[in-house]
Amino acid sequence: MANARGRPKAPLMLSPDERLYLERQVRRRRVARSLSERCRVILRCADGMPSKTIARELGLHEHTVGKWRRRFLKGRVDGLLDEARPGRPRTIDDDQVAAVIERTLRSAPADATHWSIRSMGAATGFGLQPHRSQSFKLSSDPLFVDKVRDIVGLYLSPPNRALVLSVDEKSQIQALDREQPVLPMMPGVPERRTHSYIRHGTTSLFAALDVASGFVIGKCYKRHRATEFLDFLKQVDARVPDGLDVHIVMDNYATHKTQTIKAWLSRRPHYHVHFTPTSASWINQIERWFAELTRKQLRRGVHTSTRALEADICAFIDRHNENPKPFRWTKSADEILASVKRFCQTTQRALCSEL
């Protein structure tokens, strides 16, 4: 009679030496994360845990667990190592890679706080990039999950007869003029500008992005108080077609939550506000448009007055709206939350191995 639960799995038994090796790799903080993860999979398989449970506990796909189980049964410990890939044969073996990683993470050169490509290359004969670092910040909002599901739902499945607007302000944009003329690009020579500059004041841009069409409504103000934000909301309201609900995605900035703003919104029941989680500006699509504004117009711009700066910003908005294109949101709420979960699990394992 066929097994209703699928094909029976071959038992996975470990010798004492194999278990000792796997446990040692898991405990070693400096081992490659991929190998440490594979060792955790095999240890749990040997303890009789189902693949679904292992996948859920380690943040993996069930097929990944099955793959490494099969690889181990076929090649034992060697089956957990990366297979040879096509192309030029490797000139550096795994032990050398592990030694360099160990040296990168546990030591520093005598004359610096960290290794660079050149200093590590001189010391070992080949280079890494230990000088690189990144920053991160996890939201501590207790309603993070609910807010992510709410806002991503608006992006992926907007309600009928409704306008979804991503709203925020880019404050304190500086009108900067270089102390000396910018030298133009020439063959073989990039554009050059002085690192020092002269400030000619600041402006603040309030903007609303129509998520469906990519159209942007924007206005510059000298200040960014609730008074200016209320005036901007009135500008937006004047351009909203009759009969539409308006869903506004914005952050928890104090300017957005004053009594004046709340009173204005309460008198318009067709307006619905969706606050982003704290420390999660990445979920607000207008931030992506602000990045385009900075890259294309502000970063290399030269402005001798705030009036000239505001004129260039308004011209950029007008050019954008001549052929607006919406940003395409690709990740579901479940995918985002699963990614955050994997990051937290990886960080927790790293911190636990540190102790």
Side-chain angles (χ1 to χ4, degrees):
M1 182 175 175
N3 189 343
R5 298 179 181 272
R7 292 180 297 175
K9 294 180 180 178
L12 194 156
M13 307 294 292
L14 297 177
S15 69
D17 288 343
E18 288 174 335
R19 180 174 288 276
L20 181 63
Y21 171 82
L22 295 174
E23 291 176 344
R24 187 167 63 245
Q25 299 307 311
V26 169
R27 287 195 301 268
R28 287 181 63 188
R29 178 172 176 264
R30 309 302 175 181
V31 74
R33 191 185 72 175
S34 57
L35 178 58
S36 175
E37 192 172 73
R38 297 165 194 172
C39 293
R40 286 188 171 87
V41 168
I42 299 307
L43 287 170
R44 284 162 173 76
C45 288
D47 292 339
M49 291 179 62
S51 295
K52 286 185 177 180
T53 304
I54 298 173
R56 184 170 59 251
E57 182 178 315
L58 297 181
L60 303 173
H61 196 283
E62 187 179 353
H63 292 168
T64 303
V65 175
K67 168 188 172 181
W68 292 113
R69 178 189 178 94
R70 292 190 298 272
R71 287 271 295 267
F72 183 83
L73 288 172
K74 181 179 179 180
R76 308 309 293 178
V77 169
D78 289 341
L80 300 181
L81 303 177
D82 291 328
E83 294 179 334
R85 298 183 180 181
R88 190 180 68 175
R90 291 179 59 183
T91 59
I92 304 168
D93 59 32
D94 290 339
D95 290 339
Q96 289 176 298
V97 172
V100 171
I101 293 175
E102 186 84 5
R103 188 168 186 173
T104 302
L105 298 176
R106 285 190 176 275
S107 65
D111 59 346
T113 60
H114 57 274
W115 292 98
S116 68
I117 295 176
R118 290 180 176 83
S119 62
M120 179 57 72
T124 63
F126 54 95
L128 296 175
Q129 297 184 14
H131 62 289
R132 296 180 63 181
S133 66
Q134 295 179 335
S135 60
F136 78 97
K137 186 171 185 179
L138 289 174
S139 173
S140 58
D141 194 321
L143 298 177
F144 176 78
V145 173
D146 294 335
K147 290 180 178 179
V148 168
R149 293 194 182 280
D150 176 40
I151 294 173
V152 173
L154 280 177
Y155 293 161
L156 297 180
S157 183
N160 295 327
R161 293 197 57 77
L163 191 65
V164 179
L165 298 177
S166 176
V167 175
D168 203 359
E169 65 268 2
K170 187 173 180 64
S171 59
Q172 300 294 307
I173 306 173
Q174 298 185 83
L176 300 179
D177 183 19
R178 302 294 165 177
E179 288 189 345
Q180 298 176 16
V182 176
L183 301 181
M185 183 187 303
M186 296 182 292
V189 180
E191 178 185 279
R192 291 174 291 175
R193 66 182 69 84
T194 61
H195 68 276
S196 53
Y197 47 80
I198 303 171
R199 293 184 178 92
H200 293 283
T202 62
T203 189
S204 293
L205 170 66
F206 286 84
L209 169 72
D210 179 1
V211 170
S213 70
F215 190 88
V216 171
I217 301 172
K219 187 176 180 181
C220 292
Y221 296 87
K222 298 300 181 186
R223 304 176 70 178
H224 56 285
R225 304 167 300 175
T227 302
E228 286 75 23
F229 183 55
L230 179 59
D231 180 77
F232 177 68
L233 287 178
K234 292 177 180 178
Q235 300 279 338
V236 172
D237 189 53
R239 304 179 69 166
V240 172
D242 293 335
L244 292 182
D245 280 355
V246 180
H247 294 264
I248 295 179
V249 177
M250 60 184 181
D251 61 26
N252 292 272
Y253 190 50
T255 299
H256 302 161
K257 300 190 295 184
T258 64
Q259 289 302 320
T260 302
I261 302 299
K262 290 179 180 178
W264 188 88
L265 291 170
S266 66
R267 293 194 297 270
R268 291 160 178 79
H270 61 291
Y271 273 74
H272 311 275
V273 175
H274 306 260
F275 287 114
T276 62
T278 56
S279 304
S281 60
W282 50 265
I283 204 171
N284 197 343
Q285 289 197 34
I286 191 64
E287 299 293 345
R288 182 65 187 85
W289 185 85
F290 283 155
E292 288 293 290
L293 170 66
T294 300
R295 182 175 66 88
K296 294 180 177 181
Q297 187 65 52
L298 301 179
R299 182 172 295 137
R300 295 170 63 173
V302 174
H303 302 99
T304 57
S305 66
T306 55
R307 178 174 295 181
L309 172 62
E310 291 172 355
D312 278 352
I313 292 173
C314 291
F316 179 85
I317 294 173
D318 291 339
R319 288 192 299 272
H320 170 85
N321 287 337
E322 289 174 0
N323 185 29
K325 294 181 180 179
F327 297 111
R328 190 167 67 91
W329 193 270
T330 59
K331 294 292 185 180
S332 68
D334 286 340
E335 289 174 312
I336 293 172
L337 296 173
S339 177
V340 173
K341 179 181 178 181
R342 288 194 300 271
F343 177 80
C344 292
Q345 289 175 332
T346 301
T347 303
Q348 185 178 30
R349 285 199 296 268
L351 291 175
C352 290
S353 63
E354 184 84 24
L355 299 177

